[in-house]
Amino acid sequence: MFDWEQHGTIETHHYRGYYDAQLVSTSLPRRMTTCAFCGRTIRYCYALHDQHEKTFVIGSCDFHPYEDTKTYEYLKAAQLLQEGIDSTREEKAKC
């Protein structure tokens, strides 16, 4: 599934950013975002750069290979931000 030859090893991956795929608007038909590792459809997306500075996206379902790396710390921090933003959005919607 994941192309290790193209993307390189875990140590060569660097955190790039995050986004909520549900909020991405486009005039084109909606395309589901999938995790580069497992292929699952993901809502909360975490973008990484590979060894060639090419971007790929994972979900929190596949943070585990990054444990004990700086990238893991960035991924977990982004996840907390996503959860906080989502929680705030839900609270505002109730008002």
Side-chain angles (χ1 to χ4, degrees), residues 23-46:
L23 297 178
V24 176
S25 61
T26 178
S27 59
L28 300 173
R30 187 171 191 87
R31 216 178 65 184
M32 302 305 288
T33 304
T34 57
C35 176
F37 278 103
C38 66
R40 289 177 33 187
T41 300
I42 52 176
R43 174 179 172 183
Y44 298 115
C45 305
Y46 304 90

Side-chain angles (χ1 to χ4, degrees), residues 1-18:
M1 187 125 224
F2 189 76
D3 188 345
W4 291 101
E5 191 170 318
Q6 176 187 350
H7 294 299
T9 63
I10 293 293
E11 295 78 26
T12 64
H13 300 167
H14 301 285
Y15 175 77
R16 181 162 184 251
Y18 68 93

Side-chain angles (χ1 to χ4, degrees), residues 37-80:
F37 278 103
C38 66
R40 289 177 33 187
T41 300
I42 52 176
R43 174 179 172 183
Y44 298 115
C45 305
Y46 304 90
L48 299 170
H49 273 160
D50 67 13
Q51 64 183 351
H52 304 293
E53 296 300 314
K54 299 289 184 191
T55 302
F56 65 96
V57 178
I58 66 170
S60 59
C61 49
D62 282 302
F63 283 4
H64 58 89
Y66 295 95
E67 288 180 1
D68 300 322
T69 68
K70 193 68 169 173
T71 299
Y72 183 77
E73 293 176 30
Y74 291 129
L75 290 167
K76 291 302 284 184
Q79 183 180 33
L80 286 172

